[in-house]
Amino acid sequence: MTFAQPDHSIDLDTLPRMPVWVTSARPETLEDVAFLSGAALNHLHLVLSRVHLPHALLRDRLALRAAVACVAFSGRPERAGELRDAVHLLRAGDLPGPAGATYLSWRRAAERPVSIKALGRALPTRETGQIAAWIDTGQGAPVSRAAMVLEAVLTEAPRAEVPALILADAALAQAFGWDHLLPLLAGGLKRADLRKRGDDLHLACHRALVASAVEAVRLAADLARRAAHLKAIAPKLRAKGASDAVEMFLTREAVVPAALPLPDRAARRLCDRLVDLGAVQELTGRETFRLYGV
């Protein structure tokens, strides 16, 4: 899932749509739910093969979704806005706090190709040997592999929900041959699901992946349209460094103006210009400490 320069001649409406029967069915048995999750994931796999998708941006947006879910699992009150602030407004030497650390783990897990080294960077409190051993517990079909890794981690470390879910998504990505982890499971599971084991956990994972694959396909189509619009208006931007700034918006879920490769005043003006052109959104609703995203 490497990001490539979009081809603006491609009609984004030709992205394959998730079949209606995947979302309308209400199956109860493990066999039926497994069939639907396979169909949903295969459809997502086809969508991800489209090179004009902003893959890094999609992963970053799904990482935020996964982090919000994990923070809720832990009983903390922070939601998406607070997680963005905790990470994007972090000053040098500051600690992100528990919720911010969760978000950073998901972002780091998704931003680099899947490897034990990359997973170790995302989960610095875990030994790489332990990470490799947990990943190796996954066997069989993709969802089974993910569920087995999830169960192995939570059995050994019941409170390690974030490492368990990151490694389960990594196992799923490896099974599908995806270069990068795509955060999926956390956004579809319920807190009670994390206490399940065996077939009950497998069933919960299949259900979660149906819901998350549907959401990922919807989000991919939305971000592809938004990214194409940003690329289309990019030639109108005359500020020095604007092209590099556009690339940042195409790869990051949220951007603080101070992070852009322009002087502070020019960066703020560029963000305001992009908002006026409908290319990015201001995400906070505040007058100061603003964040922007596609």
Side-chain angles (χ1 to χ4, degrees):
M1 292 193 304
T2 54
F3 179 74
Q5 294 295 323
D7 179 354
H8 296 302
S9 67
I10 297 173
D11 181 0
L12 295 178
D13 289 331
T14 64
L15 277 175
R17 300 177 184 277
M18 186 70 73
V20 174
W21 52 265
V22 171
T23 56
S24 62
R26 295 292 180 267
E28 297 297 332
T29 68
L30 177 57
E31 180 182 23
D32 289 343
V33 178
F35 173 78
L36 289 181
S37 73
L41 287 167
N42 182 65
H43 187 86
L44 175 60
H45 183 74
L46 292 175
V47 169
L48 294 175
S49 69
R50 301 302 178 95
V51 296
H52 63 282
L53 287 180
H55 292 97
L57 179 58
L58 174 63
R59 292 194 303 271
D60 206 26
R61 184 64 59 83
L62 290 173
L64 176 62
R65 180 174 180 258
V68 168
C70 288
V71 168
F73 292 154
S74 70
R76 297 189 63 87
E78 292 93 342
R79 294 298 180 260
E82 289 89 347
L83 293 185
R84 286 190 180 114
D85 286 353
V87 169
H88 296 290
L89 301 181
L90 195 66
R91 296 179 179 178
D94 288 348
L95 297 176
T102 294
Y103 184 22
L104 280 173
S105 288
W106 277 107
R107 293 191 78 212
R108 288 169 178 165
E111 69 185 4
R112 296 188 179 188
V114 177
S115 69
I116 298 301
K117 182 178 179 180
L119 292 171
R121 179 176 176 270
L123 302 169
T125 63
R126 304 290 166 176
E127 296 290 337
T128 55
Q130 181 64 83
I131 289 172
W134 277 330
I135 288 286
D136 286 344
T137 62
Q139 302 293 328
V143 181
S144 293
R145 288 175 64 173
M148 291 171 71
V149 171
L150 183 61
E151 181 168 351
V153 179
L154 290 177
T155 298
E156 189 169 338
R159 302 189 64 171
E161 292 95 347
V162 173
L165 289 161
I166 286 176
L167 296 182
D169 276 331
L172 187 74
Q174 289 179 331
F176 271 99
W178 296 340
D179 292 336
H180 291 75
L181 176 156
L182 196 68
L184 292 173
L185 272 168
L189 287 169
K190 299 179 174 60
R191 187 176 184 179
D193 292 331
L194 300 178
R195 297 192 292 270
K196 296 175 179 177
R197 298 293 181 266
D199 285 350
D200 289 340
L201 181 59
H202 279 64
L203 180 62
C205 287
H206 281 297
R207 290 188 188 281
L209 288 167
V210 172
S212 289
V214 169
E215 172 61 15
V217 168
R218 183 204 65 77
L219 185 59
D222 181 55
L223 291 178
R225 293 186 184 93
R226 293 176 181 274
H229 178 54
L230 177 56
K231 282 283 189 179
I233 63 93
K236 301 178 182 178
L237 306 174
R238 302 188 182 279
K240 185 178 181 180
S243 61
D244 290 335
V246 166
E247 189 62 27
M248 290 179 67
F249 281 112
L250 290 171
T251 56
R252 302 186 186 185
E253 192 275 332
V255 177
V256 61
L260 296 175
L262 293 90
D264 285 348
R265 184 174 296 180
R268 290 194 296 270
R269 283 201 302 266
L270 176 64
C271 290
D272 290 340
R273 173 71 169 150
L274 290 171
V275 170
D276 290 342
L277 292 169
V280 304
Q281 308 170 71
E282 201 288 309
L283 301 172
T284 69
R286 298 187 298 240
E287 292 299 320
T288 58
F289 301 106
R290 288 181 161 187
L291 295 170
Y292 298 84
V294 171

